[in-house]
Amino acid sequence: MSETSRLTETFNQTDYQLVGHGKRNASVLKEAFENVDEHLESDRYGSGKVIEDFQAKMALLTGKDTAVFFPSGTMAQQIALRLWCDEKALKKVAYHPLSHLEIHEEDGLKELHNIQSVLLADKDRVIQLEDLTGLKEEIACLLLELPQREIGGQLPSFETLEKISAHCRSKGIKLHLDGARLLEVLPYYNKSAEEVCALFDSIYLSVYKGIGGISGAILAGDSEFIEKAKIWKRRYGGDLMSLYPYIVTADYYYEQRADRMGEYYEDAQELAILFNACRGVNTLPPKPVSNMFHVHFHQPKAQVAELLSDIQQQTGIGIASYLKEVDDTTCSYEVSMGDLYRNIPEKQIKTAFRLLDEKMKQLEEDS
């Protein structure tokens, strides 16, 4: 068995896991539907009380006129950017070099809409006002991702967001929020969702990341924008016959977890302290600004995978199910805190991290 396969296997066999809400299996759906009226009527091609009520709830959350549910965030965001480009008759949008649209969507914007991307900022930091004011070419829209996932969930200050928003409005640039993890950043900013979203012209929110639903996304904005988005949703094939399994689970877990984001944020800070106290381990950012961060191990991937597998097997604590190679001497993985962390006995957590520190020291001495 390879080191990677053993790491995944030992993680899945542990009694407790440090991160997440739990396994994504049929229990997620069963729990959400346990007390649902069996006579609940399905939505039909995007219409019906079950979907319209949830969309209204999300519009209220974001403080926007209205909202529409999409089967995927990729679909929602490509459509949002297309609409802003059409409005200005300019097919250029700006975003971070490690934006989901740039690295995970197979050039969807370019291939489907002939939209050019303008990459702002260095890849290892968030976008600042100076990146925008120094831009030499005209753009229709700026997309900001909060938090910036690929660099550990880093965030600009709220003051920076306000300045970027004001600049965009003065220049006629639309500002779109990739808020897949919008709820998760609210504790750090100490703001409501509405206060954050007021700075943006359109909002994307995932219903399966921190919320923990099955799949899907919300796109929110003014009424005219959303009506146009619905047309494009139909063109994309997003109006499935029925979406209510996604809606019911999204609504159920939103009610379960929306008010717990502060707990997940506190747990991320606590867990980061434990990692940073270990030899040859550090987190990015050093102090998390949401419920997520990256953990970097300064030893080769194969050796760290074997080390973590041993700890998981010995303690019953799941630390990581995978590792990503950064270079020959460093590897990392992503942490997203959820319901599970507070269920773990403190004594077992301390044992796991004592072993991690000891084994990382030994690797360092042997290398």
Side-chain angles (χ1 to χ4, degrees):
M1 181 185 297
S2 70
E3 294 88 354
T4 300
S5 297
R6 182 173 174 237
L7 181 62
T8 302
E9 183 176 300
T10 56
F11 180 86
N12 290 335
Q13 291 173 347
T14 54
D15 299 318
Y16 301 99
Q17 290 86 43
L18 294 176
V19 303
H21 297 310
K23 292 182 178 179
R24 293 186 62 82
N25 54 27
S27 67
V28 175
L29 186 61
K30 289 178 69 177
E31 180 182 334
F33 271 83
E34 186 175 5
N35 295 312
V36 171
D37 182 354
E38 64 183 66
H39 300 295
L40 173 73
E41 291 189 12
S42 140
D43 60 299
R44 184 178 176 85
Y45 296 116
S47 297
K49 180 175 172 55
V50 65
I51 191 169
E52 290 165 7
D53 284 353
F54 184 68
Q55 289 171 166
K57 180 184 287 189
M58 295 297 102
L60 184 63
L61 171 74
T62 58
K64 298 303 180 185
D65 291 348
T66 188
V68 58
F69 183 87
F70 279 85
S72 80
T74 296
M75 185 187 298
Q77 295 211 105
Q78 288 184 12
I79 288 171
L81 298 183
R82 170 62 188 261
L83 290 175
W84 293 137
C85 286
D86 284 353
E87 182 176 296
K88 197 166 183 178
L90 175 63
K91 296 215 166 185
K92 284 188 179 181
V93 298
Y95 47 65
H96 193 273
L98 298 181
S99 167
H100 193 280
L101 288 103
E102 189 67 18
I103 65 175
H104 291 306
E105 298 182 15
E106 303 292 347
D107 289 333
L109 274 183
K110 301 178 183 72
E111 296 296 329
L112 297 176
H113 302 287
N114 197 31
I115 293 174
Q116 299 176 47
S117 59
V118 178
L119 305 182
L120 292 185
D122 300 328
K123 66 179 182 178
D124 59 352
R125 66 171 175 83
V126 297
I127 292 172
Q128 300 290 340
L129 177 64
E130 293 74 21
D131 299 306
L132 189 58
T133 56
L135 191 60
K136 302 302 182 184
E137 51 193 312
E138 192 176 2
I139 58 173
C141 180
L142 168 65
L143 176 148
L144 292 182
E145 179 184 352
L146 304 178
Q148 197 72 52
R149 178 188 181 184
E150 299 292 337
I151 53 174
Q154 296 183 50
L155 286 169
S157 69
F158 194 75
E159 181 183 10
T160 296
L161 291 182
E162 291 178 313
K163 290 179 179 178
I164 289 175
S165 178
H167 177 81
C168 285
R169 286 174 180 167
S170 71
K171 298 296 183 180
I173 299 168
K174 295 298 182 180
L175 186 58
H176 172 77
L177 173 59
D178 179 341
R181 296 167 175 81
L182 168 63
L183 300 182
E184 291 91 310
V185 307
L186 301 181
Y188 174 74
Y189 285 136
N190 194 26
K191 302 290 183 182
S192 68
E194 183 174 355
E195 287 174 305
V196 174
C197 294
L199 303 177
F200 295 84
D201 298 291
S202 53
I203 314 295
Y204 149 59
L205 168 65
S206 170
V207 300
Y208 74 86
K209 291 186 167 67
I211 292 172
I214 295 176
S215 191
I218 283 291
L219 183 64
D222 67 37
S223 298
E224 182 181 356
F225 172 82
I226 294 300
E227 286 306 309
K228 291 177 180 177
K230 289 179 180 178
I231 294 171
W232 273 103
K233 180 186 175 187
R234 177 62 59 92
R235 289 170 177 164
Y236 262 70
D239 276 333
L240 307 187
M241 171 60 178
S242 296
L243 287 165
Y244 74 97
Y246 302 97
I247 301 297
V248 169
T249 50
D251 193 29
Y252 175 82
Y253 289 110
Y254 170 79
E255 292 297 332
Q256 295 287 313
R257 294 175 175 139
D259 292 335
R260 298 192 64 191
M261 296 299 165
E263 293 179 17
Y264 306 150
Y265 172 48
E266 291 171 4
D267 293 344
Q269 292 181 311
E270 179 179 299
L271 187 59
I273 290 172
L274 293 174
F275 275 116
N276 286 315
C278 295
R279 179 73 66 88
V281 183
N282 73 278
T283 68
L284 181 68
K287 185 176 182 180
V289 292
S290 72
N291 74 319
M292 74 168 297
F293 58 90
H294 290 182
V295 181
H296 288 256
F297 301 91
H298 298 281
Q299 291 292 340
K301 176 183 173 182
Q303 291 175 274
V304 175
E306 183 176 357
L307 173 157
L308 291 177
S309 297
D310 289 344
I311 294 173
Q312 291 178 164
Q313 206 163 39
Q314 185 174 341
T315 65
I317 301 293
I319 297 174
S321 63
Y322 76 96
L323 290 169
K324 177 181 177 181
E325 186 172 79
V326 177
D327 54 40
D328 290 344
T329 60
T330 310
C331 57
S332 69
Y333 85 108
E334 182 179 287
V335 165
S336 290
M337 305 303 292
D339 294 343
L340 296 184
Y341 182 74
R342 295 198 176 194
N343 297 327
I344 308 174
E346 184 178 350
K347 183 178 180 180
Q348 288 183 241
I349 293 178
K350 289 182 176 179
T351 298
F353 278 90
R354 176 179 55 77
L355 287 172
L356 176 60
D357 183 45
E358 290 173 359
K359 290 178 178 292
M360 287 296 292
K361 283 180 182 176
Q362 190 62 54
L363 277 184
E364 186 177 293
E365 291 168 1
D366 293 343
S367 62

